[in-house]
């Protein structure tokens, strides 16, 4: 089917591709925050504001100031919460979920007041 040299080249290419894919998956799994607690830790232990800005999704405004970054690093959070916001035409709901669990568990669901709903809609 393949000669010895072609087979060796195909195996080498396959192994390089597997190593590259494994490296990317390792980086995504171990070095990107997956929940609110890991995000808090990434921001708190960052060496510079540039590291924090890399956490922002491309295309979204980075509105974190140097003063905000220093404040976060100089103070300990009282609580780290994880929230999801559902918006409908006339109502919005905030759902508090459990950070640092394998499956999200709902802790509470609250309808947002109109002024807060409008605030989040404007973001």
């Amino acid at each position: 089917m393949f000669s010895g040299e072609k087979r060796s080249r195909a195996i080498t290419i396959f192994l390089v591709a597997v190593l590259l894919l494994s490296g990317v998956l390792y980086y995504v799994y171990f070095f990107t925050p997956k929940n609110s607690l890991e995000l808090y830790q990434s921001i708190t232990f960052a060496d510079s504001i540039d590291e924090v800005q890399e956490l922002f999704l491309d295309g979204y405004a980075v509105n974190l100031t140097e003063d905000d970054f220093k404040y976060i690093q100089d103070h300990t959070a009282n609580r780290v919460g994880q929230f999801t916001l559902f918006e409908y035409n006339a109502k919005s709901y905030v759902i508090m979920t459990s950070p640092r669990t394998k499956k999200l568990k709902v802790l509470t669901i609250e309808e947002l007041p109109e002024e807060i709903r409008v605030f989040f809609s404007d973001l």
Side-chain angles (χ1 to χ4, degrees), residues 43 46-53 62-74:
I43 293 170
D47 292 327
S48 70
I49 193 170
D50 295 330
E51 286 183 38
V52 176
Q53 290 175 343
V62 177
N63 56 0
L64 181 70
T65 66
E66 188 74 35
D67 290 337
D68 293 336
F69 175 68
K70 287 179 183 177
Y71 183 85
I72 290 170
Q73 289 202 316
D74 292 342

Side-chain angles (χ1 to χ4, degrees), residues 5-23:
E5 185 177 319
K6 286 185 179 180
R7 181 179 297 137
S8 175
R9 186 178 299 179
I11 290 172
T12 302
I13 291 172
F14 175 75
L15 288 176
V16 168
V18 166
L19 284 173
L20 285 173
L21 181 61
S22 298

Side-chain angles (χ1 to χ4, degrees), residues 22-82:
S22 298
V24 169
L25 291 175
Y26 179 83
Y27 177 80
V28 168
Y29 186 76
F30 288 106
F31 292 106
T32 56
K34 287 166 245 3
N35 57 45
S36 297
L37 188 57
E38 289 181 15
L39 178 62
Y40 167 72
Q41 291 170 341
S42 295
I43 293 170
T44 301
F45 298 118
D47 292 327
S48 70
I49 193 170
D50 295 330
E51 286 183 38
V52 176
Q53 290 175 343
E54 290 176 8
L55 297 172
F56 281 79
L57 188 62
D58 291 339
Y60 283 84
V62 177
N63 56 0
L64 181 70
T65 66
E66 188 74 35
D67 290 337
D68 293 336
F69 175 68
K70 287 179 183 177
Y71 183 85
I72 290 170
Q73 289 202 316
D74 292 342
H75 296 84
T76 303
N78 296 332
R79 182 174 71 93
V80 176
Q82 184 164 300

Side-chain angles (χ1 to χ4, degrees), residues 99-113:
R100 197 70 187 232
T101 55
K102 290 188 180 203
K103 281 183 100 174
L104 287 178
K105 299 287 184 178
V106 174
L107 301 177
T108 187
I109 299 175
E110 296 287 332
E111 182 181 345
L112 293 177

